[in-house]
Amino acid sequence: MSDSLTRRRLLYGTLSFAAIAATGGLVPVRAGSLTLTPRQTEGPFYPVTLPLDQDNDLVQVQGRPARALGTVTHVIGRVRDAQGRPLPQARVEIWQCDAKGVYLHPADRGGRDENFQGYGQTLTDAAGAYRFRTIRPVAYPGRTPHIHFKVTPSGRSPLTTQMYVAGDRQNARDFVYAEIPSAAERASVTVALEAAPQVESGALLGVFEIVLG
């Protein structure tokens, strides 16, 4: 087994969802008080061909010794329905540009960071929980920092949305962000990224809760 794969398994073997949630990001929410996650454009850069390595750690690509450029960021959350019930075995996909602002897509030309996976997927557990290890999203011309999400619950249609970084000054100028109809819906996809040394040295942690109608 490669050293990088061993490190990855050790990291995720010690990061139970409950342990990460204990950092203070997840709180119980009463049914009926949930804001549905707004549907947003998939954009032009969903990968044409998925990478061979498409797990939930986008920072370390299997077979490559170096780590991706950028600030390591752990994104965790739950997928639930409008009544607050968890949706287990939902497929959660994410994709985003690398630290240079380049996507894993043939139409996005440039010197892409080959150590960044660019796309990942996972299944929610019995509590509807998911987690990803990626990098802090960066801006590129015309867009504020964001991560694309596509969530497909078992037997239901997918929801495509985007996650934004709380406090980023470019949010106010982003045309996709501005199209979100209400302040509550904007808040639901705007995530604070906080230093999380208890999770990984030098890393950030964000909690993105996804609610499907």
Side-chain angles (χ1 to χ4, degrees):
M1 183 181 297
S2 70
D3 289 344
S4 62
L5 187 55
T6 300
R7 286 195 300 271
R8 181 187 311 195
R9 289 185 175 175
L10 285 173
L11 174 67
Y12 279 101
T14 58
L15 286 183
S16 71
F17 185 82
I20 299 178
T23 61
L26 296 175
V27 295
V29 182
R30 295 190 308 276
S33 65
L34 299 174
T35 298
L36 299 183
T37 302
R39 189 176 300 275
Q40 292 205 281
T41 176
E42 183 177 281
F45 293 127
Y46 183 89
V48 173
T49 302
L50 299 184
L52 293 177
D53 188 358
Q54 49 188 262
D55 64 4
N56 62 342
D57 184 352
L58 283 68
V59 175
Q60 194 76 54
V61 177
Q62 290 185 28
R64 301 189 70 91
R67 197 179 75 177
L69 300 173
T71 302
V72 174
T73 300
H74 294 263
V75 180
I76 66 171
R78 294 168 293 191
V79 178
R80 294 173 291 167
D81 67 15
Q83 287 71 48
R85 296 173 297 206
L87 295 175
Q89 294 298 298
R91 185 172 66 158
V92 184
E93 303 171 77
I94 69 170
W95 64 100
Q96 66 185 102
C97 67
D98 63 18
K100 302 176 182 180
V102 182
Y103 279 92
L104 176 64
H105 194 283
D108 199 12
R109 303 184 183 280
R112 201 178 76 80
D113 178 10
E114 297 295 335
N115 295 316
F116 182 57
Q117 198 166 290
Y119 168 94
Q121 62 173 291
T122 190
L123 293 175
T124 57
D125 66 13
Y130 73 88
R131 64 176 179 256
F132 286 97
R133 181 176 183 241
T134 185
I135 61 170
R136 187 193 190 282
V138 303
Y140 56 85
R143 290 303 316 275
T144 195
H146 61 283
I147 300 175
H148 297 267
F149 274 74
K150 181 183 285 187
V151 182
T152 309
S154 179
R156 298 177 62 170
S157 299
L159 169 79
T160 301
T161 192
Q162 297 180 29
M163 187 199 94
Y164 301 88
V165 179
D168 195 290
R169 62 184 181 181
Q170 298 187 71
N171 288 346
R173 301 194 299 270
D174 188 88
F175 70 101
V176 180
Y177 189 75
E179 288 178 348
I180 300 173
S182 71
E185 289 173 301
R186 283 192 294 276
S188 74
V189 294
T190 307
V191 173
L193 300 181
E194 306 286 352
Q198 74 281 9
V199 176
E200 182 177 357
S201 177
L204 303 173
L205 173 66
V207 178
F208 184 31
E209 300 277 62
I210 299 170
V211 181
L212 279 64

